[in-house]
Amino acid sequence: MCHKDKKELKSTHALKYIEWGEKQGFHKRPSCSGRQRWWECPDEKGNLFWGKEILERIAVFFSNDTMYADCRLYFAKADDLVGTTLNSTLTAFISEVTARNLGGGGGPRSMMVYEVQNLLTLTHESLAAKKSLLPDRFCVLASREIQSIFIELGVNPNIPIYEQTPIPLPDRKALDDIVFDILGLTQD
């Protein structure tokens, strides 16, 4: 994270590195050429993170501190209420529908930045009634390894869903029950 001009870096190894990079043509690459200082990475960080390509895991990672991220790991800045609801099965279902599948289905879901920015989420107003319950549900989920969506939801991917009675993991069900209640969904 070098925020200095070349003249400020005179007689430093950082300037030598920048000059080496220019000999390699790095300053002409599309990701660098539009920057005032091509070597300066954008100061982008957040406290919620998810991978660009997702296969079978429901996981939006939360940090109490903001951290840097790049194009393979998307980030946002939000509180633990939003982080908790983004880890619900609802978010996995929405991203499954809105994301593109690489290779024609069965492969990972690939979400672009604009798709993540447009991802439907619950509002703080809708969460108000359940606000006290959500952090506890998230803490339980965050304390264990997240499994594939099939294990989390208790379904067998090799049997048609209509022939099964899903048996989700208890902590997954507890979070989803809250989110589904907020949405007014019933067992039917």
Side-chain angles (χ1 to χ4, degrees), residues 13 19-20 23 25 29 32 49 59 68 71 87 89 97 101 105-106 110 132 142 145 155-156 160 168 176 181:
H13 290 290
E19 291 169 343
W20 173 86
K23 288 178 184 171
R29 292 184 176 180
C32 298
F49 307 91
Y68 291 101
C71 67
N87 278 287
T89 302
V97 171
N101 283 318
S110 177
S132 63
E145 182 179 340
V155 296
N156 183 335
D176 286 345
D181 284 350

Side-chain angles (χ1 to χ4, degrees), residues 23-36:
K23 288 178 184 171
Q24 309 304 311
F26 294 160
H27 63 298
K28 294 179 182 177
R29 292 184 176 180
S31 60
C32 298
S33 64
R35 299 181 192 158
Q36 181 180 354

Side-chain angles (χ1 to χ4, degrees), residues 82 85-86 90-91 94 116-124 126-127 183:
V82 173
T85 59
L86 287 175
L90 174 67
T91 300
I94 291 171
V116 173
Q117 289 171 337
N118 292 330
L119 192 64
L120 298 173
T121 61
L122 298 172
T123 64
H124 274 258
S126 67
L127 297 170
L183 293 172

Side-chain angles (χ1 to χ4, degrees), residues 80 84 133-144 171:
D80 58 349
T84 300
L133 299 173
L134 287 166
D136 292 340
R137 300 303 188 263
F138 180 71
C139 287
V140 172
L141 281 176
S143 67
R144 67 167 175 83
D171 53 358

Side-chain angles (χ1 to χ4, degrees), residues 20-87:
W20 173 86
E22 288 173 347
K23 288 178 184 171
Q24 309 304 311
F26 294 160
H27 63 298
K28 294 179 182 177
R29 292 184 176 180
S31 60
C32 298
S33 64
R35 299 181 192 158
Q36 181 180 354
R37 298 179 189 106
W38 71 265
W39 59 88
E40 184 176 41
C41 293
D43 190 11
E44 298 178 338
K45 53 188 173 181
N47 65 337
L48 293 173
F49 307 91
W50 54 96
K52 181 176 179 174
E53 275 84 37
I54 303 165
L55 190 56
E56 294 181 359
R57 287 181 61 197
I58 304 172
V60 174
F61 304 98
F62 180 80
S63 171
N64 289 321
D65 301 315
T66 57
M67 298 186 292
Y68 291 101
D70 69 7
C71 67
R72 305 307 298 169
L73 190 65
Y74 295 141
F75 69 93
K77 293 178 185 172
D79 61 22
D80 58 349
L81 286 179
V82 173
T84 300
T85 59
L86 287 175
N87 278 287

